[in-house]
Amino acid sequence: MMTERIVQKAINGDLANRDELLELFGTPLFSRESALILSAGRMMSQEACQYSAEVHAQVGLNISPCPRNCKFCSFAARNNLFKEQWNLPVEEVLIKIKGFETDGANALYLMATAQYPFEKFLEMGREVKKTLNPETILIANIDDFSKKQALQLKDAGFFGIYHALRLGEGKDTTIAPRKRLETFRNAKAAGLVLGTCLEPVGPEHTVEELVEHTMVTREAEPAYSGAARRISIPGTELYRYGLVSEARMAHILAVVRLALGYSIPGNCTHEPNSIGAAGGANLFWAEAGPNPRDTDKETEGKRGMTVKDCRKIFLEAEWQVLEGPSKFFRK
Ligand code: SF4
């Protein structure tokens, strides 16, 4: 009864509080109440995005043993998976990103590790922007940055950023949580729209942690939030915890939707899967180039999906997919 009341409250457009989110995250999978949460998550996502899911696409620019040492990342120096620095040549970046635009991705992302020089990233952004259609939305996924750098990103043609206060931030990473939140604020002050997510979810995370981080994403007023699981990379310290199932992730991302309400249009999950889309995920990513969840140098044909793959999963879950530039980022 308690769960039903909270679900109804969310459907009515009233935001759930911490205790209510604890109850929703703690609901056993495959129970009647869990089915209610999934159904409400899907209905609310449909309404929040006017029934159009989106596929965004990201090109990784480099590989480097990264000194930020996030334990879940294949680039982290401590994980010893990539020992050499390597940059994707500019011609290849342009081919990959243009290919994603041609395939109909609704927004395009450039991702770089903390080792990638900021000026070089700006240059790459300008170069990429020149080759894209003027209305195509370009997003930066990089290290933390200052107010001044936020303005430079905006001037270089970036519409927004992907950034997250990750689960275990400051403990499983060497980055202070306040630094991540400062970057949220710097982006906002410069007019860069934020996309964020509850990530990377592992089996060891408590419902209390999920609630705290969900609240952070809601309070940031992003274009989208959502939930993504941590990919277990053999040889890394966190590997021993294993992987959260797609079924559990669907429950988590449905709760995130109930927490977000209707004013945040996007609810992402990664990696793309049908049960997540059935439970209210309306944003997937295609990927090319280096990828922090992959141990291969370039992810296409391995972990990385194509725009077509992502669209197919959405169609199987009875979603329509938006044609044209992202509406999430233009909310
Ligand atoms: S997640 Fe980003 S900052 Fe952390 S180790 Fe990987 S590349 Fe570096």
Side-chain angles (χ1 to χ4, degrees), residues 131-181:
T131 71
L132 300 177
N133 299 326
E135 66 279 10
T136 296
I137 290 179
L138 186 62
I139 305 298
N141 182 358
I142 57 171
D143 197 17
D144 289 291
F145 51 79
S146 66
K147 272 186 192 152
K148 184 177 165 210
Q149 288 173 319
L151 289 167
Q152 289 174 302
L153 286 167
K154 184 83 182 158
D155 284 348
F158 289 96
F159 193 89
I161 61 162
Y162 176 80
H163 213 66
L165 176 74
R166 282 88 46 94
L167 285 152
E169 198 77 75
K171 180 169 70 76
D172 291 332
T173 76
T174 59
I175 308 171
R178 59 162 179 74
K179 184 105 189 132
R180 307 295 286 177
L181 298 177

Side-chain angles (χ1 to χ4, degrees), residues 96-108:
K96 289 180 200 292
I97 204 111
K98 195 68 193 164
F100 277 147
E101 184 187 56
T102 307
D103 290 345
N106 307 107
L108 302 175

Side-chain angles (χ1 to χ4, degrees), residues 182-226:
E182 199 175 291
T183 299
F184 281 15
R185 289 191 291 275
N186 292 342
K188 197 170 192 177
L192 292 164
V193 182
L194 173 72
T196 192
C197 182
L198 172 66
E199 59 113 334
V201 182
E204 78 281 15
H205 293 127
T206 63
V207 287
E208 286 78 9
E209 287 172 287
L210 300 182
V211 171
E212 283 315 309
H213 282 252
T214 300
M215 296 296 271
V216 168
T217 73
R218 179 167 89 188
E219 283 159 14
E221 299 176 334
Y224 60 83
S225 180

Side-chain angles (χ1 to χ4, degrees), residues 1 3-4 7 27-28 30-38 251:
M1 284 303 284
T3 307
E4 275 189 55
V7 169
T27 302
F30 311 118
S31 59
R32 182 174 165 277
E33 290 77 13
S34 169
L36 265 181
I37 291 169
L38 287 177
H251 178 89

Side-chain angles (χ1 to χ4, degrees), residues 66 68-70 73 75-76 113 166:
C66 181
R68 299 283 185 268
N69 270 323
C70 307
C73 174
F75 300 145
T113 73
R166 282 88 46 94

